[in-house]
């Protein structure tokens, strides 16, 4: 069966510090991968998605970036965090050719 | 792009009552409509979904109905229980477009906080 992991689970970072969140999927190949952000417990905003290694599409302009160095690995990064970057970051995956989207356990980021 | 409106934003019911959450979408090309349940501090969990070639789908106490003409779909929960309390999200997705870039990109509603009182 497929499993999706995210780490860290929680993170507190000062403004201006860098960020790296990691997501990995097990048990499938060539998944479509997504980064969503959820602020204030409501609303899911799509940040990035990837259909393959090295292929990243950005949905909203921001100071975040994403990379997919391996087939089942998706990384969200920032060089300098802003207070507004605080939120619940969810990685999601979809099997190639399927429609159902499944979320990882999330990373709760607090920027202080 | 797609826009999904969800109502109500909060819903309070007594245990055993029914709950209905409604969503409207703007893109007539959307053909996949999932519903997610998110408990406090947890990830959204897919609870039921429907494709545009059917009008209704049921799974035990939950059901989803779709009206393509009116571009709205609804989640129905019968015999509610306190453990149904959560935030519920609807979403809509277009089919695979040219190049496949629009496939699987879900547009979410803003969520409904459902509280079931014992």
């Amino acid at each position: 069966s497929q499993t999706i992991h995210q780490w860290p689970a929680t993170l507190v970072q000062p403004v201006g510090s860098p960020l790296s969140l990691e997501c990995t999927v097990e048990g499938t190949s060539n998944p479509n991968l997504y980064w969503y952000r959820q602020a204030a417990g409501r609303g899911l905003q799509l940040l990035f998605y990837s259909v393959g290694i090295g292929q990243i599409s950005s949905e909203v302009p921001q100071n975040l970036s994403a990379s997919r160095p391996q087939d089942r690995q998706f990384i969200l990064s920032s060089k300098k965090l802003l207070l507004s970057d605080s939120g619940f970051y969810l990685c999601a995956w979809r099997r190639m050719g399927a429609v159902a989207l499944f979320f990882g356990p999330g990373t709760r980021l607090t920027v202080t | 792009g797609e826009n999904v409106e969800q109502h109500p934003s909060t819903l309070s019911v007594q245990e055993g009552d029914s709950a209905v959450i409604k969503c409207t979408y703007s893109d007539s090309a959307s053909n996949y409509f999932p519903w997610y349940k998110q408990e406090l501090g947890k990830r959204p969990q897919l609870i039921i979904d429907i494709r545009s070639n059917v009008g209704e789908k049921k799974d035990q106490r939950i059901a989803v109905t779709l009206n393509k003409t009116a571009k709205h779909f609804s989640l129905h929960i019968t015999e509610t229980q306190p453990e149904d309390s959560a935030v519920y999200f609807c979403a809509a997705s277009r089919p695979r477009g040219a190049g496949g870039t629009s496939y699987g990109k879900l547009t979410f509603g803003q969520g409904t906080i459902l509280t079931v009182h014992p």
Side-chain angles (χ1 to χ4, degrees), chain A residues 31-101:
Chain A
N32 285 5
L33 297 172
Y34 304 82
W35 278 112
Y36 282 85
R37 176 169 61 198
Q38 186 175 38
R42 302 283 298 272
L44 291 152
Q45 180 187 36
L46 178 61
L47 302 176
F48 300 95
Y49 68 95
S50 172
V51 298
I53 296 174
Q55 300 178 62
I56 308 294
S57 296
S58 174
E59 287 294 296
V60 294
Q62 59 207 316
N63 70 323
L64 299 170
S65 62
S67 62
R68 186 168 176 177
Q70 300 179 41
D71 181 46
R72 290 170 288 178
Q73 184 184 31
F74 204 23
I75 297 172
L76 183 70
S77 304
S78 175
K79 293 182 179 179
K80 289 186 177 182
L81 284 169
L82 306 172
L83 284 173
S84 57
D85 291 325
S86 293
F88 193 36
Y89 287 82
L90 292 154
C91 182
W93 75 279
R94 181 181 64 82
R95 183 182 292 112
M96 183 65 67
V99 289
L101 188 73

Side-chain angles (χ1 to χ4, degrees), chain B residues 22-57:
Chain B
K22 299 180 179 180
C23 290
T24 59
Y25 60 99
S26 60
D27 189 345
S28 57
S30 289
N31 71 340
Y32 175 64
F33 308 93
W35 286 88
Y36 288 82
K37 174 184 179 183
Q38 186 178 28
E39 297 176 349
L40 190 63
K42 303 284 185 65
R43 76 184 87 182
Q45 298 269 20
L46 178 65
I47 57 172
I48 195 168
D49 57 11
I50 192 169
R51 300 202 194 195
S52 58
N53 58 344
V54 298
E56 183 175 4
K57 184 177 179 180

Side-chain angles (χ1 to χ4, degrees), chain A residues 6-50:
Chain A
Q6 285 187 247
W7 63 88
T10 60
L11 190 60
V12 180
Q13 291 284 94
V15 168
S17 64
L19 173 74
S20 181
L21 304 181
E22 189 165 343
C23 169
T24 59
V25 181
E26 296 178 355
T28 189
S29 297
N30 301 317
N32 285 5
L33 297 172
Y34 304 82
W35 278 112
Y36 282 85
R37 176 169 61 198
Q38 186 175 38
R42 302 283 298 272
L44 291 152
Q45 180 187 36
L46 178 61
L47 302 176
F48 300 95
Y49 68 95
S50 172

